[in-house]
Every structure is written in structure tokens, then in C-alpha cells.
Amino acid sequence: MDALLTGTGGTDGWPEAGCRCASCLRATAAGIRRRPGRVVVDGALEFRPGQPPSGGTGTSGAAAHRIDPVPGGWDVTGPDGARLLLAGGPGQLPEPQPGAAPYDIALLDLLASPAQLGLLRSAGLVTAQTAVAALYTDHRVSSAAELARRCTLWRARPGTDGDLVTGPVPTGDRGADDGAGQPRRTLIVGGARSGKSTEAELRLAAEPRVTFLAAEPAQSWTGPGGQPDTEWAARVAMHRARRPFWWQTVESLDVAGQLRQQRDALLIDGIGTWLAGVMDEAGLWRAGDGGPATGSVVPTGQPGSRPPSEVVRDRIDDLVDAWRQTAALVIAVTDEVGSGLVPPYPAGRVFRDQLGWLNQRLAAESELVLHIVAGRVRPLPG
Ligand SMILES: [Zn+2]
């Protein structure tokens, strides 16, 4: 089966005529022009958003294809049994019927929802043999380069006008399906509200199996006096609602254990909350001026117990060891805390120093390190 993409843009194409947004002006400057999305299947059937399919100019004949409308699009089966899933228009997410067979071609609005691709993969309806292309692309993304970057992560092609998409993809043309567009270890560094969690979630959105590890003590949202911290709880709830519903969520400080156990995609958010939790468990926050956890001795309230700094040091070493050896496709989010003011209290300085050193050690053992500033992604040279 083949699908000729005679147009790949949104309702008004990309760039949109008369639009002065940065994305459209960038596309214009780069000579990019995408007509409104339109697809011709096997030369026999033409699909336009909001219209029933019409006969094309091919010789195979539209009658030979079975066309099933599904919520959000079309499910098409060719005379040879080949299968196509097509988003019905911009913003539409086609939902296959229960029991549907896997698709050979999937043409989706990935800017509306890359997670829909992850859902189709988790259901086995999109496989390594499915040719996946983004359709209805427009100024929702900042540039064609950003679209291409995302599509690589999502193992899809950024459809361009005139593309002929052919499926199934022959065995051998693709590597292992899961995570093939990603390095094994990615460390994402950024300040508060820089967009680092969003980037991490976007990178894994099209993966079929993802564990989200909230690296914090379970039910940790209490204030300094032990009272419920409703603001924090609301923030956690918002983050959870943003994630695809089929992702598994684990709340734990045992990040090393998860790194050793997981084989699929693992998102750790984040290293800063993990370190704060580990310092809290060890009593380093309460121990006053703990000094760097590497080797200094800190008095504790329990005779014979190990100094908190040693406990924290061992946990950090264990985390770095597990990170080095993990079999998971892992993305960790961490805070850049060294650029602000020097914390006025000793424990704050210990935390800042320990996190800075830990970030360096994790970065040294990562295939990819990204710095996020104002939502913009900057890969750091290795
Ligand atoms: Zn625009």
C-alpha cells in the first residue's frame, strides 16, 4: 500500500497566508511551503479533511478498498489486506475499533498528540513494520528543524508535500522498535520552570512502555511543619494528569533499584528531589552544617550510627553505578542550582554542592546532555 501526501500542512497550510508568527515567518524564509493536508491512497482514493473520500486517478479502483470511518479518522484496508490509519483532519486522533489488525501505514497529527502514537504502539497496532508520518503540520511547532527533531524521537517521518509513504516497512530496514530514535542515557539540566520536564515527556511520548519515576518519598507533600502542602499536591496532580494514562507511575527514592530493574523507557523526575529526599532520610538536613558528603564526619543524634554524610555519599555512588550499567532507555531531569545566590544556610549549601557534583558525574556517563532555557533545547557537546 502507498499513500501520496499531496499536502501535509494544517487547515491553512504552513506557513499560513498573512500569519506573522515566528514559525510561519521562519518557514517562509526557509522556502518551506506545505499545502493543506491531503492524501491519495494507492492512486485510487483521495482523502481531504472534513470530506468523504473520493475516487482517485489510479487503476486499482476505489471499490477494491474497504473504508471504515472510526472516531477521529479513517481505517482503510486495501485489496491485498494492507492497512492504513488516517487522521481525519488537523487535531483529530483516530481511534481504531476493538480487535483492529496492525497497520502498515499510520498518518497522524503528531503535533496534536505524539502520545497517541505511543498508545497505538502499546496496543500493538503500530509496529516496527508500520510506516508512520506526521500529517497536518503547521505553526504549532516552531520550525521545520524542530519538527524533524521530534519526529526522529518519535520514530516517524515528518511528511512533506509530494512524499510517497509505503508500507509495510520491510524487515531489516528498521532496528529494534522501542526507543530506536533515542540515546540510552539522556540527562536534562535546567532551572525551575525551564521546560525540562516537558522536554523529557515529549521525548518519550511515542514510546509504548514508560515508567515515570517520581524520585521522591511517597506522599511527600507536607510542609515544613508536617502540615499538608496543598500547593505541592496540586502541582503533582497537574503533572500526573499531563502524562499519558498508560504510563506507569512509581513514587520512590530507590532510583538505583529502578535503573537496575527496568528494561523499557524510564523517566526520572528528578535528581534534585531525589537528593533532597536522600539527605532528609539520612538526617543531613537536620545535622546542621554537614559539609560535603564526600568523606566529612557529621555528628548525629544516635551513637554508633553512621554519619549522615557517609550514608548520602554511598547512595550517590550507588546511583551513579546503576546509571552507568542500566539497560533501560532512561531520561533523568535535574536542576541547575549553581547559578543563583549562595544559599544562606549550611544545609542549602551542602545540597547545592552535592547536586552540582552529582550532575557532573551523571553527565559524564550520559550519551546525551541537554540544557533547557526558556523551553529551548540546547545539546551540550560531549
Ligand atoms: Zn503562523
Side-chain angles (χ1 to χ4, degrees):
M1 177 177 272
D2 63 53
L4 178 65
L5 312 183
T6 55
T8 54
T11 305
D12 298 307
W14 186 30
E16 285 188 13
C19 183
R20 289 192 284 267
C21 82
S23 169
C24 286
L25 293 186
R26 247 194 222 112
T28 303
I32 290 165
R33 184 167 144 68
R34 292 173 183 242
R35 300 200 303 157
R38 188 183 297 186
V39 178
V40 178
V41 177
D42 288 337
L45 281 169
E46 182 167 49
F47 290 86
R48 302 182 194 203
Q51 296 181 22
S54 57
T57 56
T59 53
S60 64
H65 290 73
R66 198 181 80 223
I67 304 162
D68 295 317
V70 295
W74 304 97
D75 179 310
V76 182
T77 305
D80 59 352
R83 311 237 317 124
L84 162 75
L85 183 67
L86 172 66
Q92 294 194 35
L93 311 178
E95 298 172 27
Q97 298 295 343
Y103 294 98
D104 301 294
I105 300 176
L107 305 175
L108 304 170
D109 185 349
L110 294 180
L111 291 180
S113 175
Q116 195 215 5
L117 180 53
L119 181 60
L120 291 167
R121 284 192 170 120
S122 73
L125 294 173
V126 166
T127 70
Q129 274 66 58
T130 309
V132 181
L135 201 58
Y136 314 122
T137 49
D138 59 11
H139 59 182
R140 287 170 295 172
V141 69
S142 60
S143 67
E146 175 61 15
L147 174 66
R149 185 185 80 89
R150 294 185 189 185
C151 283
T152 299
L153 296 169
W154 299 334
R155 285 170 278 135
R157 53 201 270 186
T160 52
D161 289 18
D163 265 6
L164 185 68
V165 181
T166 305
V169 177
T171 311
D173 278 16
R174 304 280 283 269
D177 190 41
D178 289 7
Q182 310 250 8
R184 181 177 301 280
R185 277 162 292 244
T186 299
L187 184 69
I188 301 182
V189 190
R193 308 294 154 267
S194 59
K196 56 190 187 301
S197 294
T198 303
E199 167 66 13
E201 289 166 19
L202 180 138
R203 295 181 74 85
L204 294 178
E207 296 303 317
R209 287 171 295 280
V210 181
T211 297
F212 181 90
L213 176 56
E216 61 197 34
Q219 305 294 315
S220 65
W221 40 85
T222 51
Q227 78 280 17
D229 185 340
T230 50
E231 187 205 337
W232 182 254
R235 187 176 294 176
V236 169
M238 186 190 76
H239 278 266
R240 182 171 290 178
R242 195 175 69 187
R243 292 192 293 270
F245 67 86
W246 64 94
W247 286 20
Q248 187 194 5
T249 299
V250 175
E251 288 172 11
S252 171
L253 284 177
D254 186 18
V255 175
Q258 288 290 323
L259 283 166
R260 293 190 174 104
Q261 175 189 329
Q262 293 289 341
R263 294 293 180 274
D264 297 316
L266 175 65
L267 199 172
I268 303 168
D269 195 353
I271 300 299
T273 54
W274 173 82
L275 180 63
V278 165
M279 284 175 62
D280 192 44
E281 270 190 357
L284 198 54
W285 288 116
R286 297 184 298 274
D289 190 354
T294 44
S296 75
V297 177
V298 177
T300 71
Q302 295 177 358
S305 62
R306 298 175 63 223
S309 59
E310 283 188 17
V311 174
V312 172
R313 180 193 61 200
D314 289 352
R315 293 287 297 271
I316 289 175
D317 288 346
D318 189 44
L319 174 72
V320 174
D321 179 65
W323 178 264
R324 287 189 71 197
Q325 299 300 333
T326 188
L329 169 73
V330 60
I331 297 179
V333 168
T334 190
D335 302 279
E336 177 57 54
V337 292
S339 305
L341 297 170
V342 175
Y345 49 95
R349 290 195 289 275
V350 173
F351 174 76
R352 181 201 61 178
D353 294 348
Q354 290 299 333
L355 186 57
W357 289 323
L358 175 54
N359 284 347
Q360 288 190 47
R361 292 178 69 185
L362 292 176
E365 299 291 347
S366 300
E367 287 85 346
L368 179 64
V369 181
L370 301 174
H371 188 209
I372 313 287
V373 181
R376 290 292 178 91
V377 181
R378 179 169 57 176
L380 299 178

